[in-house]
Amino acid sequence: MSTDTALRPEPAPTAAAGSDERSPRRRRMAGRAPARPAPAAAFHNVSAATAALLGLVAIGAVIHEPVLIPPLAASAALVHCAPALPLAQPRSVVVGHLLGAAAGYAVAAVAAQGSAWAAALAAGLTLALTTLARTPHSPACATAVVIVLQAPAPGRFVPLLFGSTVLLVVTAFAASRVRRGSPRYPAYWW
């Protein structure tokens, strides 16, 4: 959670029909979502994530591999806007995407290329692998889906994926040091 946000204060209890307080179940279901981030924090997070993605698009355009954008856009949102989450840590970002690539190529090798069924299977396999490896990163499932549906050449795609995830982590690290008061990324490296 960002240091620029705070939990919303508890709403004043309203009188329910026949009681003075809300029931415990109703209080649990109401939730406590974080408050909106300060405008400066939101601008900083969004512009840092957008700059990182534009850099990745430029690299992908130069080498004709734009397929990285769907999974890495989700990763950029995590590392820049929720830097304290386990899903956003470097280990989860880099290893998670590599496990997603492995699952995608494995499923593509035994199932029909371009099949939505195979893509769903690859995403599920990725989720299982990242859970077992203690590298939770849900955007890695999109990496597996991209591989099954678009069949990029592994010799070109995997090094590009690895470099892109490292670049994403490095830009998040740098961006967290630019703005005073922003949460430091990463919470842990490995």
Side-chain angles (χ1 to χ4, degrees), residues 36-51:
R36 251 185 217 110
F43 178 78
H44 174 77
N45 293 343
V46 170
S47 55
T50 303

Side-chain angles (χ1 to χ4, degrees), residues 106-154:
V107 169
V110 297
Q113 192 70 39
S115 162
W117 296 100
L121 180 62
L125 180 59
T126 299
L127 191 58
L129 289 173
T130 58
T131 300
L132 289 173
R134 297 180 338 164
T135 56
H137 192 68
S138 50
C141 295
T143 297
V145 168
V146 163
I147 288 169
V148 171
L149 295 179
Q150 296 188 358

Side-chain angles (χ1 to χ4, degrees), residues 70-140:
L72 293 181
S75 295
L78 282 172
V79 299
H80 288 284
C81 297
L85 288 179
L87 280 72
Q89 301 314 306
R91 170 189 164 128
S92 293
V93 173
V94 176
V95 176
H97 279 290
L98 292 176
L99 288 172
Y105 284 117
V107 169
V110 297
Q113 192 70 39
S115 162
W117 296 100
L121 180 62
L125 180 59
T126 299
L127 191 58
L129 289 173
T130 58
T131 300
L132 289 173
R134 297 180 338 164
T135 56
H137 192 68
S138 50

Side-chain angles (χ1 to χ4, degrees), residues 135-173:
T135 56
H137 192 68
S138 50
C141 295
T143 297
V145 168
V146 163
I147 288 169
V148 171
L149 295 179
Q150 296 188 358
R156 226 176 131 141
F157 185 81
V158 174
L160 180 61
L161 178 67
F162 176 72
S164 297
T165 56
V166 169
L167 182 63
L168 200 57
V169 166
V170 169
T171 59
F173 173 79

